[in-house]
Amino acid sequence: MSPQFTIERIYSELRQQIVNRSIPPGSKLSENLLSRKWNVSRTPIREVLRRLESEGLVTSHRYKGVLVNLITLEDVEQLYPIRIYLEGLAGKLATPIISGDPEKLKVLEKFCREMEVLSKKKDIEGYIAKNNEFHYYIWHSCGNGWLIKILENLNSQVNRFIVKALHVPHRIDRSVCEHWDICEKLRMGDGKKVERAVQSNHRRAFEDLKRELTNRS
Amino acid sequence: MSPQFTIERIYSELRQQIVNRSIPPGSKLSENLLSRKWNVSRTPIREVLRRLESEGLVTSHRYKGVLVNLITLEDVEQLYPIRIYLEGLAGKLATPIISGDPEKLKVLEKFCREMEVLSKKKDIEGYIAKNNEFHYYIWHSCGNGWLIKILENLNSQVNRFIVKALHVPHRIDRSVCEHWDICEKLRMGDGKKVERAVQSNHRRAFEDLKRELTNRS
DNA sequence: GAAGTTCAGATTGTATACACTTCGGATAAT
DNA sequence: ATTATCCGAAGTGTATACAATCTGAACTTC
């Protein structure tokens, strides 16, 4: 049988299920259930759970089990400033790399055009996915592996909170402009301006999200 | 016997030994040796190692064992910009909390006076420890648990690189001034100025470190 | 009937046993 | 002497067995 490639798969699938809320916050993860589900013993399951715990996705209580961490608005309010700062930094670091490579610029502009189409079709879910791809692409061009890892963790946590339907239509129109703006600044090769553009994009997205949440409650 | 309080102790002691280089980078960690050393079975040892791996302190190679990660100047060059940004942010967030609490200001000023004494005594090791305490204290007053966790990880990684004797005497004198400056800005309650002061403190420390390293090679 | 107690089932924590892979030296062939 | 092959010891990966703890329902007691 496939010997121990499985454990890596268990980890990434379980992780993704937690991040995309198919395993909702607050769920209990039973070692026995998981081991039966994946046809492995409890030992590798426990190692997967420890890894998830160390990433802050679950919490293990002695003799009581493992719970998927809750994510509240307060958490997101703490996470966003960090994300805004670090994505700004990533944008600044990525600027010389992207502006010096026409291929990369084309990829980003293609994302923008696709976002435009999705926004006109009111395909909110698709838009959010494309939006994520756009930002992912910038991170991964920043050349700083430590930064990439931190941003991926932050993004996972934030995504766990975002309720997809929440995104407001008029937010999307503005968002498209902001992404074109980031592209333009990247093309100019001005890292400081890219940093500010990325930061204000996230800042506005967060403010709109908060406004929407408080209006609805 | 103490049932499973031990595993937490094993984790923190092993972690500290890696961070303070008493287990140097590149060392191999054998599960059998560790389990004999702590009088436990391999199972809890493996869970500790997975946790350390997830933090980026060790790397596990299939069927070959676990190695303590190397930390190079290139790593530190990637880590420092992140740290500079985030400690600046932490300083800004901590400003209203600290400036509104005379007790906290007194603690920080006490650290500064102690640093002054240690610097005059040329007690470099003691100075570095106190310097760390100073920054730790500011982080932990920022009120953002996620930020604190990230900063602690970054600090562990950087500390693993810093060779204590490397710190140059004249750097210490300037460092004392910079810390008094941070205190002053905190007392004023101006978050933006605190942010800049913290950032420039770290930026200069890193530049001096790099200069020293390149001169010696 | 309400509050406290007890005990069995279930779940987690740890130890041990077994399976698979790696690595290095001994042996054999050229 | 050099290369190739093979085997076994050592170490990791996984499964199973046992110990400690928690939970909840039945039972007692008032």
Side-chain angles (χ1 to χ4, degrees):
Chain A
M1 290 282 283
S2 53
Q4 71 279 6
F5 282 51
T6 48
I7 184 173
E8 199 55 35
R9 274 194 48 214
I10 296 174
Y11 164 74
S12 58
E13 291 201 23
L14 195 56
R15 184 181 195 285
Q16 186 167 10
Q17 288 180 350
I18 293 172
V19 170
N20 71 19
R21 300 172 69 96
S22 42
I23 300 177
S27 310
K28 181 173 177 186
L29 300 176
S30 152
E31 297 178 2
N32 281 321
L33 250 69
L34 291 171
S35 59
R36 271 197 290 273
K37 175 176 174 184
W38 295 93
N39 276 313
V40 293
S41 75
R42 279 174 52 220
T43 314
I45 293 292
R46 283 176 66 85
E47 298 194 1
V48 166
L49 292 177
R50 289 293 158 276
R51 197 164 156 189
L52 293 171
E53 183 177 19
S54 163
E55 288 178 47
L57 287 170
V58 305
T59 303
S60 149
H61 299 91
R62 210 179 271 133
Y63 291 110
K64 291 190 191 170
V66 172
L67 297 183
V68 175
N69 283 347
L70 300 173
I71 181 104
T72 64
L73 179 58
E74 292 90 76
D75 286 309
V76 181
E77 280 183 330
Q78 294 197 343
L79 288 164
Y80 247 95
I82 308 174
R83 189 190 185 181
I84 290 169
Y85 263 60
L86 291 188
E87 281 220 29
L89 173 59
K92 192 171 75 176
L93 294 176
T95 302
I97 296 166
I98 292 177
S99 73
D101 184 343
E103 284 306 313
K104 286 183 187 291
L105 270 171
K106 277 192 191 127
V107 171
L108 286 171
E109 286 166 355
K110 180 158 160 286
F111 282 145
C112 281
R113 280 195 302 277
E114 288 166 343
M115 277 192 268
E116 226 159 37
V117 173
L118 290 164
S119 114
K120 277 175 190 148
K121 283 200 292 188
K122 308 284 181 199
D123 178 352
I124 298 182
E125 194 132 344
Y127 182 84
I128 293 173
K130 194 60 72 178
N131 181 14
N132 265 328
E133 278 189 75
F134 180 89
H135 287 283
Y136 260 72
Y137 192 83
I138 295 181
W139 303 347
H140 283 85
S141 305
C142 80
N144 186 322
W146 296 92
L147 183 52
I148 292 170
K149 192 182 167 195
I150 297 174
L151 279 171
E152 290 196 336
N153 276 333
L154 288 174
N155 199 48
S156 301
Q157 294 287 356
V158 172
N159 280 348
R160 233 153 58 78
F161 178 78
I162 302 292
V163 182
K164 298 193 167 61
L166 257 176
H167 280 255
V168 212
H170 76 267
R171 166 73 206 142
I172 289 190
D173 295 336
R174 278 195 284 172
S175 179
V176 172
C177 297
E178 287 166 17
H179 287 92
W180 279 116
D181 187 44
I182 293 171
C183 280
E184 188 187 323
K185 259 83 180 192
L186 278 167
R187 181 181 289 282
M188 291 162 58
D190 185 333
K192 203 69 196 165
K193 282 185 181 165
V194 172
E195 179 180 357
R196 276 199 291 268
V198 170
Q199 286 187 346
S200 70
N201 171 235
H202 276 302
R203 210 181 325 263
R204 284 181 199 147
F206 181 49
E207 281 166 7
D208 286 349
L209 174 67
K210 264 204 303 194
R211 193 174 308 120
E212 192 63 15
L213 281 173
T214 50
N215 283 354
R216 296 199 177 189
S217 62
Chain B
M1 289 282 283
S2 52
Q4 71 280 4
F5 282 51
T6 49
I7 185 173
E8 199 54 36
R9 273 194 47 215
I10 295 174
Y11 164 74
S12 58
E13 291 201 22
L14 196 55
R15 184 180 196 286
Q16 187 166 10
Q17 287 180 350
I18 292 172
V19 170
N20 71 20
R21 299 173 69 96
S22 42
I23 300 177
S27 309
K28 180 173 178 187
L29 299 177
S30 151
E31 297 178 2
N32 282 319
L33 249 69
L34 290 171
S35 60
R36 272 197 289 274
K37 176 175 173 184
W38 294 93
N39 277 313
V40 293
S41 75
R42 279 173 52 219
T43 313
I45 293 292
R46 283 177 65 86
E47 298 193 2
V48 166
L49 292 177
R50 289 293 159 277
R51 197 164 157 188
L52 294 171
E53 184 177 18
S54 163
E55 288 179 48
L57 287 170
V58 306
T59 302
S60 152
H61 302 273
R62 228 196 290 281
Y63 290 112
K64 290 190 190 170
V66 171
L67 296 182
V68 175
N69 283 347
L70 301 174
I71 181 104
T72 65
L73 180 56
E74 291 90 77
D75 287 308
V76 180
E77 280 183 329
Q78 295 198 342
L79 289 164
Y80 248 94
I82 308 174
R83 188 188 187 183
I84 289 169
Y85 263 59
L86 291 188
E87 281 221 29
L89 173 60
K92 191 171 77 175
L93 295 176
T95 302
I97 297 167
I98 292 176
S99 73
D101 184 344
E103 284 305 312
K104 287 184 187 290
L105 271 170
K106 276 193 190 130
V107 171
L108 285 171
E109 286 166 356
K110 181 158 160 285
F111 282 146
C112 281
R113 281 195 303 278
E114 287 166 344
M115 278 192 267
E116 224 160 38
V117 173
L118 290 163
S119 113
K120 278 175 189 149
K121 283 201 292 188
K122 308 286 181 199
D123 178 354
I124 297 180
E125 193 132 346
Y127 182 85
I128 293 173
K130 195 60 73 179
N131 181 15
N132 264 327
E133 279 188 73
F134 180 90
H135 288 283
Y136 260 73
Y137 192 83
I138 294 182
W139 302 347
H140 283 85
S141 304
C142 78
N144 186 321
W146 297 91
L147 183 53
I148 292 170
K149 192 182 166 195
I150 297 174
L151 280 171
E152 289 194 338
N153 276 333
L154 288 173
N155 200 48
S156 300
Q157 294 287 357
V158 171
N159 280 349
R160 235 154 57 80
F161 178 78
I162 303 292
V163 182
K164 297 192 169 60
L166 257 176
H167 279 256
V168 213
H170 76 266
R171 165 75 206 142
I172 290 189
D173 295 337
R174 277 196 285 173
S175 179
V176 172
C177 298
E178 288 166 16
H179 287 91
W180 278 117
D181 187 45
I182 293 171
C183 279
E184 190 186 322
K185 259 81 180 195
L186 278 168
R187 181 181 291 280
M188 290 162 59
D190 185 332
K192 203 69 197 163
K193 283 186 179 164
V194 171
E195 179 179 358
R196 276 199 290 268
V198 170
Q199 287 187 345
S200 71
N201 171 236
H202 276 302
R203 209 179 329 259
R204 283 180 199 148
F206 181 48
E207 281 165 7
D208 287 349
L209 174 66
K210 265 205 301 194
R211 193 175 307 121
E212 191 63 15
L213 281 172
T214 51
N215 283 355
R216 294 199 178 187
S217 62

